């Protein structure tokens, strides 16, 4: 296993290499984001794009999932027309329905038959 080095232990060459790698990663992420935005502007109608931007402010994870879905659909050639706002709303509803989880609570049944049993059960308290 490689030991984790302290910053003061790293030499100048290694520090500059790490800074360069970090800068390259950030630049690549920024370019990817710009390409995705350009694709979305081309594929979505103006109203749909504006709605997606508003969603991204409130629910960034949900907006990211929608962006990825639209990007995949476009790349696979499944998008024939521009995505309208109503189609985007339908997609939102579909994603929301898939992501809902349900919780089922099971309780043990301690049923008492009559009020006399209740009195007997609580008499020792």
């Amino acid at each position: 296993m490689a030991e984790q080095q302290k910053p003061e232990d790293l030499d100048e060459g290694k520090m500059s290499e790490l800074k360069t790698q970090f800068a390259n990663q950030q630049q690549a992420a920024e370019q990817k984001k710009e390409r995705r935005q350009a694709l979305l502007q081309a594929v979505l109608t103006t109203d749909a794009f504006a709605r997606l931007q508003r969603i991204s402010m409130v629910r960034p994870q949900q907006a990211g999932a929608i962006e990825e879905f639209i990007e995949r659909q476009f790349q696979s050639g499944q998008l024939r027309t521009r995505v309208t706002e109503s189609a985007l709303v339908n997609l939102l509803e579909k994603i929301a329905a898939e992501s809902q989880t349900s919780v089922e609570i099971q309780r043990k049944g301690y049923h008492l038959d009559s009020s006399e049993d209740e009195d007997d059960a609580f008499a020792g308290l």
Side-chain angles (χ1 to χ4, degrees):
M1 279 190 216
E3 290 184 32
Q4 191 174 15
Q5 296 178 346
K6 295 179 182 177
E8 56 270 1
D9 293 342
L10 297 175
D11 60 353
E12 291 298 318
K14 185 70 172 176
M15 284 295 282
S16 65
E17 181 183 331
L18 290 174
K19 286 180 184 179
T20 304
Q21 285 179 353
F22 181 72
N24 289 341
Q25 288 173 349
Q26 283 196 328
Q27 186 179 12
E30 190 65 34
Q31 288 175 349
K32 181 179 178 182
K33 184 178 178 182
E34 289 172 5
R35 282 193 306 267
R36 179 178 276 181
Q37 290 300 315
L39 171 72
L40 290 172
Q41 285 180 331
V43 172
L44 298 173
T45 62
T46 307
D47 293 337
F49 185 76
R51 186 176 194 118
L52 185 59
Q53 293 301 309
R54 289 191 303 271
I55 292 168
S56 68
M57 286 186 247
V58 179
R59 297 184 179 190
Q61 290 178 336
Q62 190 174 19
I66 293 167
E67 290 172 0
E68 288 176 16
F69 178 78
I70 291 172
E71 187 176 8
R72 282 193 315 268
Q73 295 284 39
F74 178 77
Q75 290 173 347
S76 66
Q78 294 180 354
L79 287 179
R80 305 274 185 243
T81 60
R82 294 183 81 183
V83 178
T84 62
E85 186 175 8
S86 61
L88 184 66
V89 170
N90 290 338
L91 182 60
L92 283 167
E93 290 171 352
K94 180 181 173 184
I95 289 175
E98 289 175 358
S99 65
Q100 284 183 344
T101 59
S102 63
V103 176
E104 187 176 317
I105 299 174
Q106 296 179 348
R107 299 180 185 205
K108 294 182 178 179
Y110 294 113
H111 300 288
L112 301 174
D113 293 335
S114 68
S115 62
E116 291 177 18
D117 290 340
E118 279 183 25
D119 293 338
D120 291 341
F122 294 110
L125 296 178

